[in-house]
Amino acid sequence: MAMIIYNCLKEERKILNSAQASNEMEVGSVQNTVIGMLDKQKELDAKVKAIKSSVTDVEQDIKTLEDMQDEYDFKCKTLQNREHESSNMSQEEYKKEQLSLQQMFLSLDLKRKEVVNKIVQLLHSAEHTQTALINDELVEWKHRQQTACIGGPPNACLDQLQNWFTTVAESLQQVRQQLKKLEELEQKFTYDPDPITKNKQFLQDLTHTLFKQLIQSSFVVERQPCMPTHPQRPLVLKTGVQFTVKLRLLVKLQELNYNLKVKVLFDKDVTEKNSVKGFRKFNILGTNTKVMNMEESTNGSLAAEFRHLQLKEQKNAGSRTNEGPLIVTEELHSLSFETQLCQPGLVIDLETTSLPIVVISNVSQLPSGWASILWFNMLSTDPKNLSFFLNPPCAKWSKLSEVLSWQFSSVTKRGLNADQLSMLGEKLLGPTNGGSQDGLIPWTRFCKENINDKNFPFWLWIEGILELIKKHLLCLWNDGCIMGFISKERERALLKDQSPGTFLLRFSESSREGAITFTWVEGSQNELQFHSVEPYTKKELSAVTFPDIIRNYKVMAAENIPENPLRFLYPNIPKDNAFGKYYSRPKEAPEPMDLDGPKGNGYIKTELISVSEVHPSRLQSPENLLPMSPEEFDEVSRMVDPADIDTVMCTHIQL
């Protein structure tokens, strides 16, 4: 007993130390990432505010310039009038006025050069900041969106990015107006070399280019295509089923509200339609146009949401054509969105595309379709690479293991730990390479080839387990009661040093639809026995909850009283402590039957319990029988005649 306690404490200390070290590393990594992001945000904030401040400064300088030009013009006309009206102006006075005008002209010229140079610097600063927004921040957001689509961390809100885009766009719009004002001043008064005349075309072109680039980049798919019936499986669309998609313009200008009409198109300019044999074609049903506005979004963003779109396959006459190199769930398609911004002197075409989508015709294709979405978004950042599965790249285990964990954490409160991932790595890479983070897994190994000696691929096995957890085991998984992915060898290694009756829960490796079993240890240290019950599938778990199965499970052999061999959830948690809160509560006693009514109308209450029948030799010897709790004795009393119990007890006493 002392050795058992010692081993339990030793194992517990190892687990705690490992968890603490892992948490410290994770916390440190997260803190560094957050600090880096905050520093980057502060830097961008400062740059965007500097642009806005520069625009205000230029605005003030142009007003000053206008005042200076008006004063110069007034002085020039006054001097001309005095020349014509009176000939008694002395030569000395005339020269003095001319000198004053010349000084004013030089100041005016200097101010024009200053304003032009400030606008040049402002535009270069805007260009630099805009490049960071488009090539860094927006690209990172799109990558985070890809990650979020396949179960990764939720994507950061677009509002901060919208604020930056909008501020820069407003600044460029003000610069456009400022350039028009400079052009008006030039038309009133110009000279050679006039800095406005010399630079205005360059400044107008650069402002137009920057504004166009910013507007075009700000047109994004905020929420990727998704069927409302499967919110955690975006980008897989079924023909005839409605799906939604949301567009957003990150430049939120009031003058654009209700002025941008978006049209959705399917597989626009997709070369695979002609180059890939059997590539299917689809029509979009439903309202395929929508006007962007600020009223429909809860956060007031300029957006358009399509809620009632459907796809219908174009059927070709004659024989089927989908006999090409790609199966249905490997065939990638895309949705394109177009609109046009029209302002006085400005017409800009806007277009964006969704991430690649998989179109299925039967819900049974959903798991394989989702596998394709996982593989693409894990390994590619080019949404136009629709030929991806003609030659799909391998995935590193370090990346695939993270994505697999996301599949669990996105639908439950727990991802996969290192031990669980290690077991899955061995399944995909083999026992010798299972722990290699650089191990490469081909697409066919993940989703198409039968795994080991089973008649189903790895991913469909995982998908079956996910469904089982979501529908029948969610609370137990969230509480950490289910070890889940563990090899039989590792299972025995963990149980061999534990008290008799210690058990753990793992997923069956032989069931495609997902199944769970438990294994317990019994016997002495010199003669250990490990027993695993036949796995429970959704069929059994739909009838009886798994905690109730564990609570009422019995092992029975001929001439022996049924007993529950399960005492401690690994490593040493009393069974009722682990599962008690999930046991079914006893139902209220039924109303007494009407004694005056016809006899035989009432039913005898029944209860489903799991019983394993084994050969007596597999049970423990009578002196080592596990003691029954009062609750278990009551259950046995209901199942076995009291006289039989007495007979067995007398026999046991005589022995």
Side-chain angles (χ1 to χ4, degrees):
M1 178 60 72
M3 285 299 296
I4 291 174
I5 295 173
Y6 171 77
N7 288 330
C8 286
L9 292 174
K10 185 178 177 182
E11 185 71 23
E12 186 176 1
R13 173 54 57 191
K14 283 170 61 180
I15 293 171
L16 288 173
N17 289 339
S18 174
Q20 184 177 359
S22 175
N23 284 339
E24 287 175 356
M25 288 179 63
E26 287 181 11
V27 168
S29 175
V30 169
Q31 285 178 342
N32 291 336
T33 301
V34 170
I35 291 171
M37 289 179 65
L38 289 175
D39 289 343
K40 203 172 181 182
Q41 281 196 2
K42 287 179 181 178
E43 184 181 346
L44 266 172
D45 265 331
K47 288 181 177 179
V48 170
K49 287 177 181 176
I51 292 171
K52 188 174 182 180
S53 177
S54 296
V55 170
T56 304
D57 290 344
V58 169
E59 190 75 26
Q60 191 60 46
D61 285 340
I62 290 177
K63 288 180 180 178
T64 302
L65 177 62
E66 185 177 20
D67 291 341
M68 290 174 65
Q69 183 167 318
D70 287 345
E71 185 180 3
Y72 176 76
D73 183 62
F74 176 76
K75 286 285 182 77
C76 281
K77 290 179 178 177
T78 301
L79 184 59
Q80 288 174 2
N81 290 335
R82 288 181 63 185
E83 278 185 280
H84 292 125
E85 292 175 3
S86 175
S87 58
N88 57 3
M89 179 187 290
S90 67
Q91 193 72 21
E92 188 176 338
E93 287 180 327
Y94 181 76
K95 284 183 179 181
K96 189 177 179 180
E97 291 291 335
Q98 284 283 10
L99 188 62
S100 176
L101 280 176
Q102 191 173 2
Q103 289 296 329
M104 290 181 69
F105 172 77
L106 291 175
S107 298
L108 182 64
D109 179 57
L110 194 63
K111 193 64 178 178
R112 282 194 173 189
K113 288 177 180 176
E114 180 188 341
V115 170
V116 168
N117 286 334
K118 279 191 174 182
I119 293 177
V120 170
Q121 291 174 9
L122 165 61
L123 290 177
H124 285 157
S125 178
E127 183 177 24
H128 183 267
T129 303
Q130 182 170 307
T131 299
L133 287 175
I134 295 172
N135 295 344
D136 297 334
E137 294 300 314
L138 186 58
V139 168
E140 286 179 18
W141 177 83
K142 288 182 177 180
H143 181 65
R144 291 196 301 270
Q145 186 187 49
Q146 272 192 286
T147 299
C149 277
I150 57 175
N155 198 8
C157 184
L158 268 175
D159 291 351
Q160 178 62 72
L161 207 52
Q162 175 182 282
N163 291 338
W164 289 331
F165 268 78
T166 301
T167 300
V168 175
E170 288 173 339
S171 299
L172 291 173
Q173 286 285 65
Q174 284 180 270
V175 171
R176 288 180 65 211
Q177 297 304 316
Q178 290 168 353
L179 290 176
K180 287 182 180 179
K181 187 64 180 177
L182 287 181
E183 195 169 18
E184 290 176 9
L185 294 177
E186 178 209 19
Q187 289 172 355
K188 290 180 180 178
F189 174 69
T190 186
Y191 51 90
D192 190 23
D194 185 343
I196 297 177
T197 306
K198 181 181 177 182
N199 293 283
K200 71 175 182 180
Q201 193 61 52
F202 163 73
L203 295 176
Q204 288 171 350
D205 290 345
L206 181 56
T207 306
H208 178 272
T209 300
L210 291 177
F211 186 74
K212 179 180 178 181
Q213 183 187 41
L214 189 69
I215 285 286
Q216 289 178 328
S217 301
S218 74
F219 189 42
V220 298
V221 180
E222 180 179 3
R223 192 166 61 243
Q224 294 291 332
C226 181
M227 296 186 292
T229 52
H230 295 82
Q232 290 160 339
R233 292 288 188 266
L235 301 170
V236 181
L237 307 180
K238 182 179 177 295
T239 53
V241 175
Q242 288 187 351
F243 65 91
T244 66
V245 60
K246 186 177 181 181
L247 285 299
R248 182 164 171 177
L249 196 72
L250 298 179
V251 173
K252 183 184 174 183
L253 300 178
Q254 191 60 43
E255 61 264 30
L256 301 181
N257 196 21
Y258 288 101
N259 279 329
L260 297 175
K261 186 177 183 180
V262 181
K263 182 179 181 181
V264 56
L265 303 99
F266 191 85
D267 279 348
K268 183 197 174 192
D269 300 329
V270 171
T271 57
E272 283 78 6
K273 287 190 291 188
N274 301 317
S275 62
V276 177
K277 182 182 177 184
F279 198 82
R280 296 170 300 158
K281 299 177 182 178
F282 296 87
N283 294 324
I284 296 179
L285 305 182
T287 305
N288 66 341
T289 59
K290 188 90 174 179
V291 177
M292 302 190 85
N293 64 84
M294 300 178 186
E295 281 67 43
E296 289 187 29
S297 295
T298 54
N299 57 1
S301 60
L302 187 57
E305 183 173 6
F306 294 87
R307 296 189 180 92
H308 307 291
L309 298 176
Q310 291 184 38
L311 296 177
K312 182 178 181 180
E313 185 176 357
Q314 297 179 14
K315 297 294 184 180
N316 294 325
S319 60
R320 291 175 62 86
T321 59
N322 56 350
E323 298 175 357
L326 298 175
I327 60 175
V328 166
T329 52
E330 294 176 331
E331 193 180 276
L332 300 179
H333 301 268
S334 73
L335 290 169
S336 299
F337 306 90
E338 295 178 343
T339 188
Q340 190 177 69
L341 183 150
C342 296
Q343 288 186 336
L346 188 67
V347 177
I348 302 176
D349 291 322
L350 309 181
E351 182 176 342
T352 190
T353 60
S354 69
L355 289 170
I357 60 176
V358 170
V359 183
I360 60 176
S361 55
N362 192 297
V363 74
S364 63
Q365 298 167 326
L366 184 60
S368 296
W370 181 241
S372 297
I373 295 301
L374 291 180
W375 207 260
F376 177 90
N377 289 287
M378 176 174 58
L379 300 174
S380 177
T381 57
D382 180 9
K384 296 190 176 181
N385 182 17
L386 303 186
S387 301
F388 178 82
F389 283 105
L390 288 177
N391 186 24
C394 295
K396 275 190 177 183
W397 173 240
S398 58
K399 186 62 183 173
L400 180 57
S401 61
E402 183 180 38
V403 172
L404 284 174
S405 183
W406 290 344
Q407 303 317 296
F408 289 81
S409 61
S410 63
V411 296
T412 73
K413 294 179 181 178
R414 295 175 70 92
L416 301 178
N417 62 33
D419 289 335
Q420 292 167 329
L421 289 171
S422 177
M423 182 269 192
L424 296 179
E426 288 182 10
K427 272 189 136 356
L428 287 169
L429 294 165
T432 56
N433 298 319
S436 172
Q437 293 297 301
D438 293 328
L440 295 177
I441 296 98
W443 162 245
T444 52
R445 176 69 175 162
F446 176 72
C447 189
K448 301 176 83 171
E449 297 174 356
N450 289 341
I451 187 166
N452 301 334
D453 57 343
K454 307 300 185 295
N455 62 348
F456 48 84
F458 174 85
W459 169 249
L460 293 187
W461 174 62
I462 293 290
E463 180 75 6
I465 290 170
L466 277 168
E467 285 298 306
L468 195 73
I469 290 174
K470 285 190 289 184
K471 293 179 179 177
H472 303 289
L473 305 170
L474 189 58
C475 293
L476 298 185
W477 176 263
N478 288 340
D479 281 355
C481 296
I482 301 174
M483 195 164 288
F485 299 104
I486 179 172
S487 65
K488 293 179 181 177
E489 294 76 14
R490 174 70 174 156
E491 176 184 68
R492 296 195 172 200
L494 292 178
L495 290 175
K496 67 182 178 65
D497 296 325
Q498 305 303 318
S499 304
T502 301
F503 65 100
L504 54 79
L505 313 179
R506 65 175 175 85
F507 297 119
S508 167
E509 298 178 47
S510 58
S511 174
R512 172 175 177 158
E513 63 178 0
I516 190 168
T517 183
F518 45 80
T519 301
W520 72 92
V521 63
E522 63 183 31
S524 63
Q525 192 69 29
N526 297 328
E527 200 172 328
L528 291 175
Q529 294 182 1
F530 301 92
H531 303 294
S532 297
V533 73
E534 184 177 348
Y536 296 89
T537 65
K538 61 184 178 182
K539 179 181 178 182
E540 291 82 19
L541 297 178
S542 297
V544 185
T545 66
F546 200 47
D548 282 346
I549 289 174
I550 293 171
R551 175 195 192 185
N552 299 322
Y553 178 72
K554 298 289 184 291
V555 173
M556 182 175 65
E559 300 180 358
N560 279 284
I561 299 173
E563 61 169 290
N564 189 330
L566 309 178
R567 297 180 65 193
F568 304 103
L569 178 66
Y570 179 87
N572 55 3
I573 306 171
K575 175 185 67 178
D576 291 341
N577 289 0
F579 304 101
K581 60 184 174 181
Y582 300 120
Y583 292 158
S584 297
R585 299 289 178 259
K587 297 178 181 177
E588 294 182 6
E591 293 290 331
M593 288 188 295
D594 185 0
L595 297 178
D596 297 330
K599 294 182 179 180
N601 287 348
Y603 290 103
I604 298 175
K605 184 181 177 184
T606 62
E607 184 177 356
L608 294 174
I609 65 171
S610 294
V611 178
S612 294
E613 187 174 356
V614 298
H615 191 273
S617 62
R618 289 191 61 186
L619 288 178
Q620 301 171 13
S621 59
E623 61 270 16
N624 291 328
L625 279 173
L626 298 174
M628 285 186 289
S629 66
E631 181 186 67
E632 291 172 324
F633 184 78
D634 289 342
E635 291 175 9
V636 171
S637 299
R638 291 201 305 268
M639 297 171 56
V640 183
D641 189 272
D644 293 338
I645 294 179
D646 291 339
T647 302
V648 172
M649 292 302 295
C650 290
T651 304
H652 177 56
I653 292 170
Q654 291 171 3
L655 290 173

